[in-house]
Coordinates of all heavy atoms in Angstrom, one line a residue:
S113 N 10.6 87.0 -23.5 CA 10.2 86.6 -22.1 C 10.4 87.8 -21.2 O 9.6 88.1 -20.3 CB 10.9 85.4 -21.6 OG 10.7 84.3 -22.5
R114 N 11.6 88.3 -21.3 CA 12.0 89.4 -20.4 C 11.0 90.6 -20.5 O 10.6 91.2 -19.5 CB 13.4 89.9 -20.7 CG 13.9 91.0 -19.8 CD 15.4 91.2 -20.1 NE 15.9 92.4 -19.5 CZ 15.9 93.6 -19.9 NH1 15.3 93.9 -21.1 NH2 16.4 94.6 -19.2
K115 N 10.7 91.0 -21.7 CA 9.8 92.1 -21.9 C 8.4 91.9 -21.3 O 7.8 92.8 -20.6 CB 9.6 92.4 -23.4 CG 10.8 93.1 -24.0 CD 10.6 93.4 -25.5 CE 11.7 94.1 -26.1 NZ 11.5 94.4 -27.6
V116 N 7.9 90.7 -21.5 CA 6.6 90.4 -21.0 C 6.6 90.4 -19.4 O 5.7 91.0 -18.8 CB 6.1 89.0 -21.5 CG1 4.8 88.6 -20.7 CG2 5.8 89.0 -23.0
I117 N 7.6 89.7 -18.8 CA 7.6 89.6 -17.4 C 7.8 91.0 -16.8 O 7.1 91.4 -15.8 CB 8.8 88.7 -17.0 CG1 8.5 87.2 -17.4 CG2 9.1 88.8 -15.5 CD1 9.6 86.3 -17.2
L118 N 8.7 91.8 -17.3 CA 9.0 93.1 -16.7 C 7.8 94.1 -16.8 O 7.5 94.8 -15.9 CB 10.3 93.7 -17.3 CG 11.6 93.0 -17.0 CD1 12.8 93.7 -17.6 CD2 11.8 92.9 -15.5
K119 N 7.2 94.0 -18.0 CA 6.0 94.9 -18.2 C 4.9 94.5 -17.2 O 4.2 95.3 -16.7 CB 5.5 94.8 -19.6 CG 4.4 95.8 -19.9 CD 4.9 97.3 -19.8 CE 3.8 98.3 -20.1 NZ 4.3 99.7 -19.9
F120 N 4.7 93.2 -17.1 CA 3.6 92.7 -16.2 C 3.9 93.1 -14.7 O 3.1 93.6 -14.0 CB 3.5 91.2 -16.3 CG 2.3 90.6 -15.6 CD1 1.2 91.3 -15.4 CD2 2.4 89.3 -15.1 CE1 0.0 90.7 -14.8 CE2 1.2 88.7 -14.5 CZ 0.1 89.4 -14.4
Q121 N 5.2 93.0 -14.3 CA 5.6 93.5 -13.0 C 5.5 95.0 -12.8 O 5.2 95.5 -11.7 CB 7.0 93.0 -12.7 CG 7.2 91.5 -12.6 CD 8.7 91.1 -12.4 OE1 9.6 91.9 -12.4 NE2 8.9 89.8 -12.1
E122 N 5.6 95.7 -13.9 CA 5.5 97.2 -13.8 C 4.0 97.6 -13.6 O 3.8 98.6 -12.9 CB 6.0 97.8 -15.2 CG 5.8 99.3 -15.3 CD 6.2 99.8 -16.6 OE1 7.0 99.2 -17.3 OE2 5.6 100.8 -17.1
V123 N 3.1 96.9 -14.2 CA 1.7 97.4 -14.2 C 0.8 96.6 -13.1 O -0.3 97.1 -12.8 CB 1.0 97.3 -15.5 CG1 1.8 98.1 -16.6 CG2 0.9 95.8 -16.0
S124 N 1.3 95.5 -12.6 CA 0.5 94.7 -11.7 C 1.4 94.0 -10.7 O 2.5 93.5 -11.0 CB -0.3 93.6 -12.5 OG -0.8 92.6 -11.7
P125 N 0.9 93.9 -9.4 CA 1.6 93.1 -8.4 C 1.3 91.6 -8.4 O 1.7 91.0 -7.4 CB 1.1 93.8 -7.1 CG -0.3 94.1 -7.4 CD -0.3 94.5 -8.9
W126 N 0.7 91.1 -9.4 CA 0.3 89.7 -9.5 C 1.5 88.8 -9.1 O 1.3 87.8 -8.4 CB -0.3 89.4 -10.8 CG -1.0 88.1 -10.9 CD1 -0.5 86.8 -11.0 CD2 -2.4 87.9 -10.9 NE1 -1.4 85.9 -11.1 CE2 -2.7 86.5 -11.0 CE3 -3.5 88.7 -10.8 CZ2 -3.9 85.9 -11.0 CZ3 -4.8 88.2 -10.8 CH2 -5.0 86.8 -10.9
T127 N 2.6 89.1 -9.7 CA 3.8 88.3 -9.5 C 4.7 88.9 -8.4 O 5.3 88.2 -7.6 CB 4.6 88.1 -10.8 OG1 5.0 89.4 -11.3 CG2 3.8 87.3 -11.8
T128 N 4.9 90.2 -8.4 CA 5.8 90.9 -7.5 C 5.4 90.7 -6.0 O 6.2 90.7 -5.1 CB 6.0 92.3 -7.8 OG1 4.7 93.0 -7.9 CG2 6.7 92.5 -9.1
F129 N 4.1 90.5 -5.8 CA 3.6 90.3 -4.4 C 4.3 89.1 -3.8 O 4.8 89.1 -2.7 CB 2.1 90.1 -4.5 CG 1.5 89.3 -3.3 CD1 1.3 89.9 -2.1 CD2 1.1 88.0 -3.4 CE1 0.8 89.2 -1.0 CE2 0.5 87.3 -2.4 CZ 0.4 87.9 -1.1
G130 N 4.3 88.0 -4.6 CA 4.9 86.7 -4.1 C 6.4 86.9 -3.9 O 7.0 86.3 -3.0
H131 N 7.0 87.6 -4.8 CA 8.5 87.8 -4.7 C 8.9 88.6 -3.4 O 9.8 88.1 -2.7 CB 9.0 88.7 -5.9 CG 8.8 88.0 -7.2 ND1 9.2 88.6 -8.4 CD2 8.3 86.8 -7.6 CE1 9.0 87.8 -9.4 NE2 8.4 86.7 -9.0
V132 N 8.2 89.6 -3.1 CA 8.5 90.4 -1.9 C 8.2 89.6 -0.7 O 9.1 89.6 0.2 CB 7.7 91.7 -1.9 CG1 7.8 92.5 -0.6 CG2 8.1 92.6 -3.1
A133 N 7.1 88.9 -0.6 CA 6.8 88.1 0.6 C 7.8 87.0 0.7 O 8.3 86.7 1.9 CB 5.4 87.5 0.4
S134 N 8.1 86.3 -0.3 CA 9.1 85.2 -0.2 C 10.5 85.7 0.1 O 11.2 85.1 1.0 CB 9.1 84.4 -1.6 OG 7.8 83.8 -1.8
N135 N 10.9 86.7 -0.5 CA 12.3 87.2 -0.2 C 12.4 87.7 1.2 O 13.4 87.4 1.9 CB 12.6 88.4 -1.2 CG 13.0 88.0 -2.6 OD1 13.1 86.8 -2.8 ND2 13.2 89.0 -3.4
G136 N 11.3 88.3 1.7 CA 11.4 88.7 3.1 C 11.5 87.5 4.1 O 12.3 87.5 5.0
A137 N 10.7 86.5 3.8 CA 10.7 85.3 4.6 C 12.1 84.6 4.6 O 12.6 84.1 5.6 CB 9.6 84.3 4.2
I138 N 12.7 84.5 3.4 CA 14.0 83.9 3.2 C 15.1 84.6 3.9 O 15.9 84.0 4.6 CB 14.3 83.7 1.7 CG1 13.3 82.7 1.0 CG2 15.7 83.3 1.5 CD1 13.4 82.7 -0.5
L139 N 15.1 85.9 3.7 CA 16.1 86.7 4.4 C 16.1 86.6 5.9 O 17.1 86.5 6.6 CB 16.0 88.2 4.0 CG 16.4 88.5 2.5 CD1 16.0 89.9 2.1 CD2 18.0 88.4 2.4
E140 N 14.9 86.6 6.5 CA 14.7 86.5 7.9 C 15.1 85.1 8.4 O 15.8 84.9 9.4 CB 13.3 86.8 8.3 CG 13.0 88.3 8.2 CD 11.6 88.7 8.6 OE1 10.8 87.8 8.9 OE2 11.3 89.9 8.7
A141 N 14.7 84.0 7.6 CA 15.1 82.7 8.0 C 16.6 82.4 8.0 O 17.1 81.6 8.7 CB 14.3 81.7 7.2
L142 N 17.3 83.1 7.0 CA 18.7 82.8 6.9 C 19.6 83.8 7.5 O 20.8 83.9 7.3 CB 19.0 82.7 5.4 CG 18.2 81.7 4.6 CD1 18.7 81.6 3.1 CD2 18.4 80.3 5.2
E143 N 19.0 84.7 8.3 CA 19.7 85.7 9.0 C 20.9 85.2 9.8 O 20.7 84.2 10.6 CB 18.8 86.5 9.9 CG 19.5 87.6 10.7 CD 19.9 88.8 9.8 OE1 19.2 89.1 8.8 OE2 20.9 89.4 10.1
G144 N 22.1 85.7 9.6 CA 23.3 85.3 10.4 C 24.0 84.1 9.8 O 25.1 83.8 10.2
E145 N 23.5 83.5 8.7 CA 24.2 82.4 8.0 C 25.2 83.0 7.1 O 25.0 84.0 6.5 CB 23.2 81.5 7.3 CG 22.1 80.9 8.2 CD 22.7 79.7 9.1 OE1 23.8 79.3 8.8 OE2 21.9 79.3 10.0
T146 N 26.3 82.2 6.9 CA 27.4 82.7 6.0 C 27.4 82.0 4.6 O 27.9 82.6 3.6 CB 28.7 82.5 6.6 OG1 28.9 81.1 6.9 CG2 28.8 83.3 7.9
K147 N 26.8 80.8 4.5 CA 26.7 80.1 3.3 C 25.2 79.8 3.0 O 24.6 78.9 3.6 CB 27.5 78.8 3.3 CG 29.0 79.1 3.4 CD 29.8 77.8 3.3 CE 29.8 77.3 1.9 NZ 30.7 76.1 1.7
L148 N 24.7 80.5 2.0 CA 23.2 80.4 1.7 C 23.1 79.6 0.4 O 23.8 79.8 -0.5 CB 22.6 81.8 1.5 CG 23.0 82.9 2.5 CD1 22.2 84.1 2.2 CD2 22.7 82.4 4.0
H149 N 22.1 78.7 0.4 CA 21.8 78.0 -0.8 C 20.3 78.0 -1.0 O 19.5 77.4 -0.3 CB 22.3 76.5 -0.7 CG 22.2 75.8 -2.0 ND1 22.7 74.5 -2.1 CD2 21.7 76.1 -3.2 CE1 22.5 74.0 -3.4 NE2 21.8 75.0 -4.0
I150 N 19.9 78.7 -2.1 CA 18.5 78.8 -2.4 C 18.2 77.9 -3.6 O 18.8 78.0 -4.6 CB 18.1 80.3 -2.8 CG1 18.3 81.2 -1.6 CG2 16.6 80.3 -3.3 CD1 18.0 82.7 -2.0
L151 N 17.2 77.0 -3.4 CA 16.8 76.1 -4.4 C 15.5 76.7 -5.0 O 14.5 76.7 -4.3 CB 16.5 74.7 -3.8 CG 17.7 74.0 -3.2 CD1 17.3 72.7 -2.4 CD2 18.8 73.7 -4.2
D152 N 15.6 77.1 -6.2 CA 14.5 77.8 -6.8 C 13.7 76.9 -7.8 O 14.2 76.6 -8.9 CB 15.0 79.1 -7.6 CG 13.9 80.0 -8.1 OD1 12.8 79.9 -7.6 OD2 14.2 80.8 -9.0
I153 N 12.5 76.5 -7.3 CA 11.7 75.7 -8.2 C 10.5 76.5 -8.6 O 9.4 76.5 -7.9 CB 11.2 74.4 -7.4 CG1 12.4 73.7 -6.8 CG2 10.4 73.4 -8.3 CD1 12.0 72.6 -5.8
S154 N 10.7 77.3 -9.6 CA 9.7 78.4 -9.9 C 9.5 78.6 -11.3 O 10.2 78.0 -12.2 CB 10.1 79.7 -9.2 OG 10.2 79.5 -7.8
N155 N 8.6 79.5 -11.7 CA 8.5 79.9 -13.1 C 8.7 81.4 -13.3 O 8.1 82.1 -14.1 CB 7.0 79.6 -13.5 CG 6.0 80.3 -12.7 OD1 6.3 81.0 -11.8 ND2 4.7 80.2 -13.1
T156 N 9.6 81.9 -12.5 CA 9.9 83.4 -12.4 C 11.0 83.8 -13.3 O 11.3 85.0 -13.4 CB 10.2 83.8 -11.0 OG1 11.4 83.2 -10.5 CG2 9.0 83.4 -10.0
F157 N 11.8 82.9 -13.9 CA 12.9 83.3 -14.7 C 13.9 84.1 -14.0 O 14.6 85.0 -14.5 CB 12.5 84.0 -16.0 CG 11.6 83.1 -16.9 CD1 10.3 83.3 -16.9 CD2 12.2 82.1 -17.7 CE1 9.5 82.5 -17.8 CE2 11.4 81.3 -18.5 CZ 10.0 81.5 -18.5
C158 N 14.0 83.9 -12.7 CA 15.0 84.6 -11.8 C 14.7 86.1 -11.6 O 15.6 86.8 -11.1 CB 16.4 84.4 -12.3 SG 17.0 82.7 -12.1
T159 N 13.6 86.6 -12.0 CA 13.3 88.0 -11.8 C 13.1 88.3 -10.3 O 13.1 89.5 -10.0 CB 12.0 88.4 -12.6 OG1 10.9 87.6 -12.2 CG2 12.2 88.3 -14.1
Q160 N 12.9 87.3 -9.5 CA 12.7 87.6 -8.1 C 14.0 87.9 -7.4 O 14.0 88.6 -6.3 CB 12.2 86.3 -7.5 CG 12.0 86.3 -5.9 CD 11.4 85.0 -5.4 OE1 10.8 84.2 -6.2 NE2 11.5 84.7 -4.2
W161 N 15.2 87.5 -7.9 CA 16.4 87.5 -7.1 C 17.2 88.8 -7.1 O 18.0 89.0 -6.2 CB 17.3 86.4 -7.5 CG 16.5 85.1 -7.4 CD1 16.3 84.2 -8.3 CD2 15.9 84.6 -6.2 NE1 15.5 83.1 -7.9 CE2 15.3 83.4 -6.5 CE3 15.8 85.1 -4.9 CZ2 14.5 82.6 -5.6 CZ3 15.1 84.3 -4.0 CH2 14.5 83.1 -4.3
P162 N 17.2 89.7 -8.1 CA 18.0 91.0 -8.0 C 17.7 91.7 -6.7 O 18.6 92.3 -6.1 CB 17.5 91.7 -9.2 CG 17.2 90.7 -10.2 CD 16.6 89.6 -9.4
T163 N 16.4 91.8 -6.3 CA 16.2 92.6 -5.0 C 16.7 91.9 -3.8 O 17.2 92.5 -2.8 CB 14.7 92.8 -4.8 OG1 14.0 91.6 -4.9 CG2 14.1 93.7 -5.9
L164 N 16.8 90.6 -3.8 CA 17.4 89.8 -2.7 C 18.9 90.0 -2.7 O 19.5 90.2 -1.6 CB 17.0 88.3 -2.8 CG 17.5 87.5 -1.6 CD1 16.4 86.6 -1.1 CD2 18.8 86.7 -2.0
L165 N 19.5 90.0 -3.9 CA 21.0 90.3 -3.9 C 21.3 91.7 -3.4 O 22.3 91.9 -2.7 CB 21.4 90.2 -5.4 CG 21.6 88.7 -5.9 CD1 21.8 88.7 -7.4 CD2 22.8 88.0 -5.2
E166 N 20.4 92.7 -3.7 CA 20.6 94.0 -3.2 C 20.5 94.1 -1.7 O 21.3 94.8 -1.0 CB 19.6 95.0 -3.8 CG 19.8 95.3 -5.3 CD 18.7 96.1 -5.9 OE1 17.6 96.3 -5.2 OE2 18.8 96.6 -7.0
A167 N 19.5 93.3 -1.2 CA 19.4 93.3 0.3 C 20.6 92.6 1.0 O 21.1 93.1 2.0 CB 18.1 92.5 0.7
L168 N 21.2 91.6 0.4 CA 22.4 91.0 0.9 C 23.6 91.9 0.8 O 24.4 91.9 1.8 CB 22.7 89.7 0.2 CG 21.7 88.5 0.3 CD1 22.1 87.3 -0.6 CD2 21.6 88.1 1.8
A169 N 23.6 92.7 -0.2 CA 24.8 93.6 -0.4 C 24.8 94.7 0.6 O 25.9 95.3 0.9 CB 24.8 94.1 -1.9
T170 N 23.6 95.1 1.1 CA 23.5 96.2 2.0 C 23.6 95.8 3.5 O 23.4 96.7 4.4 CB 22.3 97.0 1.7 OG1 21.1 96.2 1.8 CG2 22.3 97.6 0.3
K171 N 23.8 94.5 3.7 CA 23.9 94.1 5.1 C 25.1 94.7 5.8 O 26.1 94.9 5.2 CB 24.0 92.5 5.2 CG 22.7 91.8 4.8 CD 22.9 90.3 4.7 CE 23.0 89.7 6.1 NZ 21.8 89.8 6.9
S172 N 24.9 95.1 7.1 CA 26.0 95.7 7.8 C 27.2 94.8 8.1 O 28.3 95.2 8.2 CB 25.4 96.3 9.1 OG 24.8 95.3 9.9
D173 N 26.8 93.5 8.3 CA 27.9 92.6 8.6 C 28.5 92.0 7.4 O 28.2 92.4 6.3 CB 27.4 91.5 9.6 CG 26.1 90.9 9.1 OD1 25.6 91.3 8.1 OD2 25.6 90.0 9.8
E174 N 29.2 90.9 7.5 CA 29.9 90.3 6.3 C 28.8 89.8 5.3 O 27.9 89.1 5.7 CB 30.8 89.2 6.7 CG 31.6 88.5 5.6 CD 32.5 87.4 6.1 OE1 32.6 87.2 7.3 OE2 33.1 86.7 5.2
T175 N 29.1 90.1 4.0 CA 28.1 89.6 3.0 C 28.2 88.1 2.9 O 29.3 87.6 2.6 CB 28.4 90.3 1.7 OG1 28.4 91.7 1.8 CG2 27.4 89.8 0.6
P176 N 27.1 87.4 3.0 CA 27.2 85.9 2.9 C 27.4 85.5 1.4 O 27.2 86.2 0.5 CB 25.8 85.4 3.4 CG 24.9 86.6 3.1 CD 25.8 87.8 3.3
H177 N 27.9 84.2 1.3 CA 28.0 83.6 0.0 C 26.7 83.0 -0.4 O 26.0 82.3 0.4 CB 29.1 82.5 0.0 CG 29.3 81.8 -1.3 ND1 28.4 80.8 -1.7 CD2 30.2 81.9 -2.2 CE1 28.8 80.3 -2.9 NE2 29.9 81.0 -3.2
L178 N 26.2 83.3 -1.6 CA 24.9 82.8 -2.1 C 25.1 81.8 -3.3 O 25.7 82.2 -4.3 CB 24.0 83.9 -2.5 CG 22.7 83.5 -3.1 CD1 21.8 82.7 -2.2 CD2 21.9 84.8 -3.7
K179 N 24.6 80.6 -3.1 CA 24.5 79.7 -4.2 C 23.0 79.6 -4.6 O 22.1 79.4 -3.8 CB 25.0 78.3 -3.8 CG 24.9 77.3 -5.0 CD 25.0 75.8 -4.5 CE 26.3 75.5 -3.9 NZ 26.4 74.1 -3.5
L180 N 22.7 79.8 -5.9 CA 21.3 79.8 -6.4 C 21.2 78.6 -7.4 O 21.9 78.6 -8.4 CB 20.9 81.1 -7.1 CG 19.5 81.1 -7.7 CD1 18.5 80.9 -6.7 CD2 19.3 82.4 -8.5
T181 N 20.4 77.6 -7.0 CA 20.2 76.5 -7.9 C 18.8 76.5 -8.5 O 17.8 76.5 -7.7 CB 20.4 75.1 -7.2 OG1 21.8 75.1 -6.7 CG2 20.2 73.9 -8.1
V182 N 18.7 76.7 -9.8 CA 17.3 76.8 -10.4 C 17.0 75.4 -11.0 O 17.7 74.9 -11.8 CB 17.3 77.8 -11.5 CG1 16.0 78.0 -12.1 CG2 17.8 79.2 -10.9
V183 N 15.8 74.9 -10.6 CA 15.3 73.6 -11.1 C 14.4 73.9 -12.2 O 13.3 74.6 -12.0 CB 14.6 72.8 -10.0 CG1 14.1 71.5 -10.6 CG2 15.6 72.5 -8.9
V184 N 14.7 73.5 -13.4 CA 14.0 73.8 -14.6 C 13.2 72.6 -15.1 O 13.8 71.6 -15.4 CB 14.9 74.4 -15.8 CG1 14.1 74.7 -17.0 CG2 15.6 75.6 -15.3
T185 N 11.9 72.7 -15.3 CA 11.1 71.6 -15.9 C 10.4 72.0 -17.2 O 10.2 71.2 -18.0 CB 10.1 71.2 -14.9 OG1 9.2 72.3 -14.5 CG2 10.7 70.6 -13.6

Side-chain angles (χ1 to χ4, degrees):
S113 300
R114 180 174 174 274
K115 284 182 179 179
V116 172
I117 291 169
L118 293 181
K119 187 63 180 179
F120 192 26
Q121 292 178 353
E122 176 188 330
V123 302
S124 166
W126 193 283
T127 56
T128 50
F129 158 76
H131 294 182
V132 171
S134 297
N135 282 354
I138 290 170
L139 287 168
E140 290 183 351
L142 302 184
E143 180 68 33
E145 300 286 351
T146 58
K147 294 186 70 175
L148 318 182
H149 189 174
I150 297 176
L151 301 171
D152 188 19
I153 309 172
S154 302
N155 61 355
T156 63
F157 298 101
C158 292
T159 55
Q160 176 179 341
W161 303 122
T163 53
L164 184 134
L165 284 168
E166 289 177 347
L168 292 177
T170 56
K171 291 174 71 68
S172 56
D173 49 0
E174 183 180 353
T175 303
H177 179 280
L178 174 62
K179 182 198 293 184
L180 178 62
T181 298
V182 180
V183 180
V184 179
T185 58

